[in-house]
Amino acid sequence: MNDPRSVSFGSRQARLSQDLFELLFGGCRPEHFDAGEHLFMQEDPGDRIYGVLSGTVEISIYGLTGRKLVANIELSRSLIGEIGALDGGPRTASALCLTGCTLVSLSRVQFLDRLEKNSHLAIAIIGLLCARLRWVSGERSDQALLKIETRLAKRLLFLSGVLADKDGWIPISQADLAAFLGATRESVNKMLNEWRGRSLIAIRRSAIRVTNANGLQTIVDLGDS
């Protein structure tokens, strides 16, 4: 029997266990999406839910002026678009494939039917939604209470754990990193150059590597205290 608590919670992610993921998307045909391709845009109809088999998907929110805030990065076994698929409302964010991605998907009708027939799956989805709400609440608290230095250090430590290649390089531009934080590129650039001088990070074109995780964690700890 599937454990209704089989949802894993990372520092920024909530993912279904392998068996529940397969229960939800069993029989679905994998689809390939190219890097740079959108699954959907903010305010699109919420008529489908996606599951990530491989690749990296960026979830972003756009303001009325077009300013972009990166809300999260989704990896294997992550769900995308579950809110719109549950209530039928418009998309609350945009989903962009950062890499080539292989996904499976269900229509809203199929999704609700599977939840109705599998109580363990429905409970797991509730747990996943709660994890996402806690994450959003934590992000809002960080935005309101923490200095950009602390927020940037936390974000780099997170990205190093989920996006870094085998050599530790995080494939992200400084502009995109600023979008993650809701900050200006100039303020992020200034902080990164200072940290490079202190040997906390290394920088190359469109990539950053954490070279002293303990040093960044100290910045986080001091900022949270």
Side-chain angles (χ1 to χ4, degrees):
M1 179 178 295
N2 293 320
D3 183 347
R5 298 166 297 177
S6 295
V7 181
S8 61
F9 304 100
S11 57
R12 300 296 193 276
Q13 295 178 306
R15 297 185 291 174
L16 291 180
S17 63
Q18 185 66 42
D19 57 342
L20 287 176
F21 188 91
E22 291 175 356
L23 180 62
L24 178 58
F25 292 106
C28 295
R29 180 176 60 86
E31 303 172 72
H32 181 75
F33 294 82
D34 294 329
E37 189 172 354
H38 278 92
L39 303 181
F40 50 78
M41 297 293 292
Q42 189 172 326
E43 301 299 333
D44 281 352
D47 55 1
R48 202 158 198 85
I49 183 172
Y50 296 86
V52 182
L53 294 177
S54 65
T56 306
V57 180
E58 174 190 277
I59 307 299
S60 300
I61 300 168
Y62 290 86
L64 294 177
T65 61
R67 184 179 179 184
K68 172 183 170 183
L69 175 65
V70 178
N72 213 344
I73 295 291
E74 303 293 354
L75 304 172
S76 175
R77 294 205 321 274
S78 293
L79 300 188
I80 298 173
E82 71 281 354
I83 294 177
L86 281 169
D87 67 8
R91 299 295 190 187
T92 58
S94 298
L96 171 70
C97 295
L98 294 180
T99 65
C101 294
T102 302
L103 308 173
V104 283
S105 67
L106 292 168
S107 69
R108 180 169 185 260
V109 172
Q110 292 171 318
F111 178 44
L112 295 178
D113 181 64
R114 295 194 181 194
L115 293 185
E116 184 177 354
K117 292 177 179 177
N118 297 279
S119 60
H120 297 305
L121 182 58
I123 292 171
I125 295 296
I126 292 171
L128 185 145
L129 288 171
C130 289
R132 293 205 194 279
L133 286 172
R134 290 180 185 276
W135 157 237
V136 170
S137 178
E139 282 290 281
R140 287 182 175 176
S141 295
D142 284 357
Q143 291 273 353
L145 301 175
L146 299 182
K147 295 180 179 179
I148 185 174
E149 179 182 28
T150 306
R151 290 160 47 209
L152 179 56
K154 288 180 71 173
R155 186 66 63 167
L156 285 175
L157 289 171
F158 163 63
L159 292 175
S160 182
V162 299
L163 285 185
D165 63 18
K166 61 182 179 62
D167 296 317
W169 288 101
I170 306 164
I172 189 169
S173 69
Q174 293 184 27
D176 286 341
L177 188 55
F180 255 115
L181 301 171
T184 64
R185 185 186 184 282
E186 291 74 19
S187 61
V188 168
N189 176 265
K190 179 180 178 180
M191 191 63 61
L192 291 176
N193 283 323
E194 177 185 332
W195 289 352
R196 177 169 58 179
R198 293 163 55 186
S199 298
L200 298 177
I201 63 170
I203 301 174
R204 69 183 187 190
R205 185 176 178 84
S206 297
I208 300 168
R209 182 173 64 188
V210 173
T211 55
N212 186 345
N214 288 336
L216 289 183
Q217 187 60 54
T218 298
I219 293 172
V220 174
D221 293 340
L222 290 173
D224 278 338
S225 62

